[in-house]
Amino acid sequence: PRGRRRVGPPLFRANLSRSPSPSLSPSLSLGVSVWVGDRLFPGWRACRGERRSSQREAMNLSSSKSAPEPDPVPFVRPGYNDRVSVNQMREVIKEVLHDKLAGKEYEPSEASNQTREIVDEIRSRLQALPMARYKYMVQAVIGEQRGGGFRMGNRCFWDADTDNFATEKIVTDSLFCVAVAWAVYTY
Amino acid sequence: MDDLGSSEELAFTPEQVESMLYQVITQVIGQSVYDDAKVAQWVDEINDRCMEMLVELTKPFKYTVTTFIMQRKGAGLHSSHSCFWDMATDNIAQANWPNDKHRDQHNNRMYVVVTVFAAAMTK
C-alpha cells in the first residue's frame, strides 16, 4: 500500500480505505510526539502516511456530531482551532464544583451521590463542547476535612499535541473536592 | 493485509492490569507509615512504575494513570468517574489498596487508589 512501511512488530490493525485519492499538494508528514519516545513504538512513526489535507479540512469545517461518519480517514489530526482548550475545560469544572458544593457540609450519606452527579455533569458539559473526535474522562474525589493528608497525582501517555487535561478543586470548612478531566483525541 | 495480532492481545483487560497495579503499590508502599514528606515521592513513583508497566504491554491505547494517597484518620473519601468514549474498546482498571485480598499487606495507615483509564487510539 502506498505510503505505508511497517517497521518493527505490527501493533494494530489500521482501518484504511483504499479509495484512490488525487495526489495532494504538500504532504504534511506530521510526527506524533509520543510521550515515552518512539523507541517503544517504532511502527507508529513509520505508519503515518500522508495527511489527506483537503479532505480533512473539509470535514473539520463542517464537523458536526450528528453527521454520519464517512469512510474512516486514517491519521488525521485536529486543526489548530479544533484542539481542546484547557481553559475552557477548567471553567466547566469550576462552575460545576461551585454549583454543587459551595457552602455545603460533608454528609457521608450524600457524598456518594454528589460525586456521581459532579462527574456526570462535567462529562455532559464537556460532551457539548464543539471539538470533534475527542473522548473525555472525568474523575472527582470528595473527602472530609479532618486534618489528614491527601495527595493526588497523574501521568498520561498520549499525544501531547492533541490531548490535554484540566483540574480544579474546591475546599470548604468540612470537605474538599478535586475534579480532573482528560480529553483524548481519537484518530 | 497482514494479520496484525489477535484481538485478545490488543484489547485492554482490566483484570490483568489490576493485579499488576496491586503489585506496584505493594512494592512502593509496603508497610510504610504515612509520611507527609514522602507521599509526593510515593505518588510519583507509583505513577511512573504503573505507566512503564502499561507501556510495556504495547497495546494501541493512550493511558492516564491517577494515584491518590490519603492518610487514614477516620475521614470519609468518595471517588467517582464518568467517561465519554467507545465502550467496545476503552476501559478502566482501578486498584483500591489495601483490600481483603491483600490481607498480608494490610496497611492501616493510609488508603491508596490507583485508576488507569485506557482510551483506544483509533476506532
Side-chain angles (χ1 to χ4, degrees):
Chain A
R2 181 175 69 87
R4 279 187 70 218
R5 185 175 55 84
R6 217 167 7 85
V7 169
L11 289 179
F12 55 89
R13 192 186 308 277
N15 248 343
L16 292 185
S17 62
R18 297 238 198 151
S19 54
S21 67
S23 78
L24 301 173
S25 50
S27 75
L28 310 162
S29 57
L30 302 165
V32 174
S33 55
V34 174
W35 180 75
V36 183
D38 58 355
R39 60 185 167 84
L40 289 171
F41 280 89
W44 181 239
R45 270 190 202 266
C47 276
R48 291 196 71 76
E50 295 176 301
R51 178 180 142 180
R52 294 168 211 246
S53 39
S54 64
Q55 197 174 348
R56 190 60 197 157
E57 267 151 23
M59 276 181 75
N60 266 339
L61 286 172
S62 63
S63 78
S64 75
K65 290 225 169 90
S66 56
E69 285 281 0
D71 280 333
V73 182
F75 309 131
V76 294
R77 304 179 69 77
Y80 180 72
N81 287 332
D82 294 329
R83 306 252 158 101
V84 71
S85 146
V86 179
N87 286 328
Q88 241 181 335
M89 283 169 63
R90 206 180 295 144
E91 285 303 312
V92 165
I93 302 177
K94 208 195 288 200
E95 254 181 60
V96 173
L97 287 183
H98 276 275
D99 286 343
K100 302 269 180 191
L101 291 178
K104 292 264 169 68
E105 297 283 317
Y106 177 81
E107 304 262 349
S109 49
E110 283 295 313
S112 236
N113 286 335
Q114 278 172 329
T115 22
R116 219 168 298 134
E117 277 169 30
I118 287 174
V119 287
D120 282 339
E121 179 68 31
I122 295 178
R123 197 247 312 141
S124 45
R125 288 203 198 186
L126 289 177
Q127 252 175 271
L129 291 177
M131 283 75 75
R133 297 183 80 88
Y134 269 95
K135 295 180 176 174
Y136 297 104
M137 292 160 276
V138 185
Q139 181 172 31
V141 180
I142 292 187
E144 192 183 357
Q145 286 261 46
R146 274 211 194 180
F150 177 82
R151 176 92 189 180
M152 185 164 173
N154 87 79
R155 275 286 181 286
C156 306
F157 175 75
W158 59 23
D159 183 352
D161 197 22
T162 55
D163 307 326
N164 227 318
F165 82 104
T167 171
E168 269 294 328
K169 68 175 190 302
I170 182 173
V171 179
T172 67
D173 290 332
S174 61
L175 63 77
F176 66 89
C177 178
V178 181
V180 195
W182 296 273
V184 166
Y185 188 74
T186 321
Y187 301 101
Chain B
M1 208 178 292
D2 312 340
D3 182 20
L4 297 179
S6 68
S7 51
E8 293 100 52
E9 289 168 14
L10 303 180
F12 180 77
T13 37
E15 299 80 21
Q16 175 198 15
V17 173
E18 268 162 31
S19 57
M20 294 197 254
L21 296 180
Y22 281 111
Q23 273 177 32
V24 168
I25 301 175
T26 314
Q27 280 169 18
V28 175
I29 307 272
Q31 292 294 326
S32 318
V33 175
Y34 183 89
D35 185 351
D36 210 36
K38 290 195 194 152
V39 67
Q41 183 201 337
W42 286 335
V43 164
D44 284 342
E45 214 174 315
I46 292 176
N47 278 335
D48 283 337
R49 289 198 197 188
C50 288
M51 194 51 94
E52 275 172 29
M53 165 203 90
L54 287 167
V55 165
E56 268 164 27
L57 297 175
T58 54
K59 295 191 178 174
F61 283 94
K62 294 183 179 180
Y63 300 107
T64 295
V65 180
T66 303
T67 302
F68 60 83
I69 299 186
M70 168 131 160
Q71 190 179 11
R72 199 158 170 153
K73 272 214 169 178
L77 186 75
H78 298 260
S79 160
S80 192
H81 57 265
S82 177
C83 308
F84 173 65
W85 58 20
D86 184 353
M87 284 194 58
T89 51
D90 307 327
N91 221 323
I92 178 177
Q94 193 166 44
N96 222 320
W97 189 92
N99 69 356
D100 295 332
K101 250 168 107 179
H102 298 82
R103 214 178 285 274
D104 19 321
Q105 285 105 33
H106 218 100
N107 185 321
N108 46 7
R109 310 282 192 219
M110 55 183 145
Y111 293 112
V112 180
V113 178
V114 181
T115 313
V116 173
F117 296 89
M121 287 208 229
T122 53
K123 288 203 179 153

